[in-house]
Amino acid sequence: MLSKRFQKSNTIVALLVGFLLSSFPIFAKEEGVKLEWKPIPDAGGYQVEIKDSRGKITREKTNTTQVQIELPPGAYEHRIGVLNKYGRVSVFSAWIPFEVILSQKPEVVAAEKNKFLTKDMPETFEIKGKHFTEATKVILKDSKGNEIPVKSVDIKNSETMVVTIDKKKSPEGAVSLRLENPRNKSTDRENYFLVADTEDELAALDSKTSYSGSGSSGPSIFDLGAAARSAVLPGWGQYYQKKSTFRTAIFPSLIIVAGGYAAAKGNSYLNATHELDAARQSNIMYNSAFLQSGDPALFSLALYNYTQISPKYSHAVGEYNQLGVALGVLGFFYLINVLDAGFFPGPKQVKIEGTNTPVTVSPLLRNARESDRAATFASGNSYLLQQRMELGVEFTW
């Protein structure tokens, strides 16, 4: 009896080792991490134990051959225990290491050199970007849509990979690059590099791709996303564009001040109209009382009240005009806030050929230097210093 049980346990252990002895990456997604294994004959269920890098063990029992569990990215080990009919573990597999990796959309920066003659086309080239993993798939296609064979992909780190292609099947024309991470995370880069037989063909290809790239797929003149944000909440678009703290805070500050002023003027206008209505009602009441009683005192009171209606009306009109100006100022600041977000983008990083460091390009609006300002003479041997603004672009390394 003991011999049969021992043989059965050995069989289960052998099956567990055969089914689970491997180290593999698992890609985390929104619904968690899924562990799956092949069924063990005569198993009454399974107990899954997962150990993190600190040694903490999480246990879960299941009657199926898979579990879904929430795990943050990191290194783990797991083992599967087979339950007997009493719900107790009869045997465990060995601890099997695995790694949970968060699958993110890969990013690609421009190649340092992207123009090659066919005879100079390198067999190995480096791709720079972000979120590269061992599971990242590299797809290269030529201008005809034919896939270029990739011999190997060496992931140096999450930001660098080295790709080796077959030079016997050298690409031609504009070569596109596609990087795919698990969970349908992918990035496409058209015209990643250009290949031609002669310098003239390469120049023509470069001109053609540059022209096509300047069409509708190029950067828009108006940043609709940032403008929409600033339309909803002033300053939000500027914050989204990573503009300076001053440009982010100035518009909501101006709008709050202008809004407060408009609210005060609106309240003053309402008070003025109430006073005007009260004077008109009093005039009607005094005139009616005088006509009924014929009392001269009531006539004098009605006449005095009538003389107050005109200035109260003028005061109400003045408050109405001031309210209109306040609302106009408020609308002007709001419109400038939206236009600033839409037409004047924040700093952007660009790659300049021949350099390894990205350059930050920022729009610039400033006063002209003292030496560049023109002096205009006026009467009385005095002169006026003309104010002039400079609009340009600032490059920062």
Side-chain angles (χ1 to χ4, degrees):
M1 188 68 143
L2 288 173
S3 177
K4 289 183 179 180
R5 288 184 178 178
F6 181 74
Q7 290 175 358
K8 186 175 181 179
S9 296
N10 282 344
T11 301
I12 292 175
V13 171
L15 287 169
L16 282 171
V17 171
F19 292 152
L20 301 174
L21 189 55
S22 61
S23 175
F24 53 93
I26 295 177
F27 291 88
K29 55 180 181 178
E30 290 76 5
E31 60 268 25
V33 173
K34 181 179 179 182
L35 287 175
E36 189 172 2
W37 60 93
K38 293 181 180 180
I40 304 299
D42 300 325
Y46 305 92
Q47 178 170 300
V48 181
E49 294 189 353
I50 298 176
K51 181 167 59 176
D52 63 19
S53 57
R54 297 175 296 177
K56 181 181 177 181
I57 297 178
T58 303
R59 298 177 175 86
E60 183 172 338
K61 290 185 178 180
T62 178
N63 292 324
T64 65
T65 57
Q66 63 181 31
V67 290
Q68 198 85 16
I69 190 167
E70 295 292 336
L71 290 175
Y76 298 87
E77 292 182 282
H78 82 287
R79 66 179 182 177
I80 309 296
V82 179
L83 303 179
N84 58 26
K85 62 181 179 180
Y86 302 107
R88 296 181 178 178
V89 178
S90 59
V91 65
F92 271 110
S93 71
W95 285 104
I96 309 299
F98 69 97
E99 186 178 8
V100 177
I101 300 173
L102 179 63
S103 181
Q104 295 179 285
K105 182 178 179 180
E107 297 180 13
V108 183
V109 299
E112 292 185 9
K113 183 178 181 182
N114 70 333
K115 304 171 191 175
F116 303 96
L117 294 177
T118 304
K119 62 183 181 64
D120 299 328
M121 178 66 193
E123 184 178 12
T124 300
F125 57 92
E126 194 175 66
I127 298 177
K128 293 282 190 178
K130 290 183 180 179
H131 312 312
F132 299 161
T133 71
E134 294 293 338
T136 302
K137 185 178 180 182
V138 179
I139 301 174
L140 296 168
K141 290 186 178 182
D142 60 21
S143 55
K144 297 179 181 178
N146 300 320
E147 190 167 332
I148 301 166
V150 176
K151 294 174 64 175
S152 66
V153 177
D154 182 15
I155 305 296
K156 298 296 184 182
N157 51 56
S158 63
E159 297 181 351
T160 305
M161 69 168 67
V162 177
V163 178
T164 303
I165 63 174
D166 187 357
K167 283 201 69 174
K168 295 179 181 179
K169 299 180 180 179
S170 182
E172 295 180 359
V175 177
S176 63
L177 169 68
R178 179 180 177 86
L179 299 183
E180 295 180 353
N181 274 346
R183 312 300 183 196
N184 298 319
K185 306 293 178 64
S186 62
T187 294
D188 293 284
R189 180 62 68 91
E190 298 293 332
N191 308 324
Y192 188 68
F193 56 82
L194 311 176
V195 184
D197 292 331
T198 65
E199 291 286 356
D200 291 340
E201 292 178 357
L202 191 60
L205 182 61
D206 185 27
S207 177
K208 180 180 178 181
T209 54
S210 299
Y211 176 77
S212 61
S214 63
S216 59
S217 61
S220 174
I221 298 176
F222 188 79
D223 190 341
L224 182 60
R229 285 176 169 82
S230 285
V232 173
L233 181 64
W236 184 16
Q238 287 79 3
Y239 177 80
Y240 168 75
Q241 293 173 324
K242 298 181 180 179
K243 291 180 178 176
S244 65
T245 304
F246 174 78
R247 289 182 67 181
T248 300
I250 187 63
F251 292 109
S253 301
L254 289 174
I255 289 174
I256 289 173
V257 172
Y261 179 73
K265 286 303 173 183
N267 186 61
S268 298
Y269 171 68
L270 291 177
N271 291 336
T273 56
H274 290 160
E275 292 177 2
L276 177 60
D277 290 339
R280 286 172 173 172
Q281 292 296 328
S282 297
N283 183 64
I284 294 174
M285 182 183 66
Y286 291 145
N287 285 331
S288 177
F290 169 72
L291 292 176
Q292 291 179 3
S293 64
D295 187 351
L298 290 176
F299 175 78
S300 299
L301 190 59
L303 181 62
Y304 173 78
N305 184 78
Y306 177 76
T307 60
Q308 299 302 307
I309 293 178
S310 181
K312 290 182 183 296
Y313 174 78
S314 299
H315 178 64
V317 171
E319 292 294 339
Y320 175 79
N321 292 334
Q322 291 186 39
L323 174 60
V325 173
L327 291 176
V329 171
L330 176 62
F332 174 76
F333 287 151
Y334 177 82
L335 181 61
I336 292 298
N337 152 70
V338 175
L339 293 178
D340 176 75
F343 287 106
F344 298 94
K348 293 183 180 295
Q349 284 196 340
V350 297
K351 184 73 174 178
I352 296 180
E353 187 174 353
T355 65
N356 296 323
T357 305
V359 176
T360 301
V361 182
S362 309
L364 182 65
L365 180 64
R366 67 183 183 187
N367 291 330
R369 295 173 298 179
E370 293 289 342
S371 58
D372 293 337
R373 297 181 187 176
T376 302
F377 286 89
S379 58
N381 294 326
S382 64
Y383 66 90
L384 300 176
L385 192 62
Q386 293 182 345
Q387 184 71 19
R388 195 176 71 181
M389 305 297 292
E390 292 180 338
L391 177 63
V393 179
E394 182 179 36
F395 294 87
T396 307
W397 281 266

